[in-house]
């Protein structure tokens, strides 16, 4: 992915919006990169009772971005955006879902999210969320919270996948 965490803590003293965007991009990158170096089978491996897999997490993150930075901002329906109705469905994998395709879709969606917010301020209200109008700052915080949770899930799943490979060798 194009974005990496800043090498210097300059973001500590940057405007709040820059701080939000740096942290969002850091978590986006970490989640995207959780698939790097894995086989297709490893990325799809189910290790928990839910639908959560590493590939499914990145596919779900694409859904999250589209809900918060497309649906909420443009007021387009989920049908128009071509995303599932529920978060649970966003973890479903098709036979055509590959690491490259899911990562590529996530990269494109994150870039679209950045474009969608470029002209907005943190205090601007987005109108298209099911909860009603919300300030962009809340959208940033909510998305950051969700991505942070999923990065933790990805860390654990990746550790399990890679340790299973190590034990077999």
């Amino acid at each position: 992915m194009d974005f990496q965490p800043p090498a210097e803590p300059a973001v500590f003293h940057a405007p709040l919006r820059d701080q939000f965007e740096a942290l969002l991009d850091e978590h986006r990158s970490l989640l995207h990169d959780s698939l790097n170096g894995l086989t297709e089978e490893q990325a799809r491996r189910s290790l928990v009772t839910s639908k959560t897999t590493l590939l499914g997490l990145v596919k779900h993150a694409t859904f999250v971005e589209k809900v918060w930075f497309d649906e909420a901002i443009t007021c387009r329906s989920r049908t128009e955006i071509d995303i599932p109705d529920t978060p649970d469905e966003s973890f479903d994998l098709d036979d055509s879902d590959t690491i490259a395709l899911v990562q590529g879709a996530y990269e494109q969606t994150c870039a679209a999210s950045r474009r969608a917010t470029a002209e907005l301020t943190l205090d601007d209200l987005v109108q298209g969320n099911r909860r009603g109008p919300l300030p962009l700052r809340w959208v940033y915080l909510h998305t950051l919270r969700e991505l942070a949770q999923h990065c933790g899930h990805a860390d654990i799943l990746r550790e399990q996948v890679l340790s299973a490979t190590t034990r077999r060798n």
Side-chain angles (χ1 to χ4, degrees):
M1 247 179 151
D2 285 3
F3 38 86
Q4 294 296 321
E8 308 227 355
V11 74
F12 296 166
H13 304 290
L16 185 59
R17 183 188 181 120
D18 294 345
Q19 291 178 32
F20 282 153
E21 290 176 354
L23 288 171
L24 278 170
D25 280 347
E26 180 179 352
H27 285 80
R28 287 168 171 154
S29 183
L30 290 168
L31 195 54
H32 171 279
D33 293 350
S34 70
L35 296 173
N36 290 351
L38 298 180
T39 66
E40 297 294 334
E41 185 276 326
Q42 288 172 320
R44 290 173 167 274
R45 191 172 295 161
S46 178
L47 299 166
V48 293
T49 57
S50 69
K51 294 180 180 182
T52 307
T53 63
L54 282 163
L55 192 61
L57 277 171
V58 178
K59 189 172 181 181
H60 170 72
T62 302
F63 167 85
V64 169
E65 293 276 339
K66 287 182 178 187
V67 165
W68 290 107
F69 297 107
D70 193 337
E71 179 182 34
I73 293 172
T74 69
C75 300
R76 296 187 315 150
S77 72
R78 291 182 183 191
T79 302
E80 291 174 280
I81 299 168
D82 195 27
I83 58 174
D85 286 332
T86 67
D88 189 54
E89 293 171 280
S90 70
F91 285 91
D92 292 343
L93 297 174
D94 300 324
D95 290 341
S96 63
D97 288 325
T98 64
I99 292 170
L101 288 176
V102 170
Q103 281 181 317
Y106 188 50
E107 289 173 23
Q108 290 174 358
T109 300
C110 291
S113 296
R114 284 188 214 86
R115 288 190 303 274
T117 60
E119 301 300 319
L120 300 176
T121 70
L122 292 177
D123 294 325
D124 282 340
L125 295 179
V126 298
Q127 304 291 328
N129 186 266
R130 295 172 180 188
R131 292 173 178 86
L134 297 166
L136 182 61
R137 86 177 59 249
W138 191 93
V139 170
Y140 276 8
L141 287 168
H142 175 82
T143 305
L144 182 58
R145 176 182 63 192
E146 186 155 351
L147 291 178
Q149 287 176 314
H150 293 320
C151 282
H153 299 147
D155 282 346
I156 292 167
L157 290 174
R158 185 175 170 89
E159 183 179 329
Q160 290 177 321
V161 164
L162 293 176
S163 70
T165 301
T166 303
R167 278 186 256 134
R168 278 186 263 170
N169 293 333

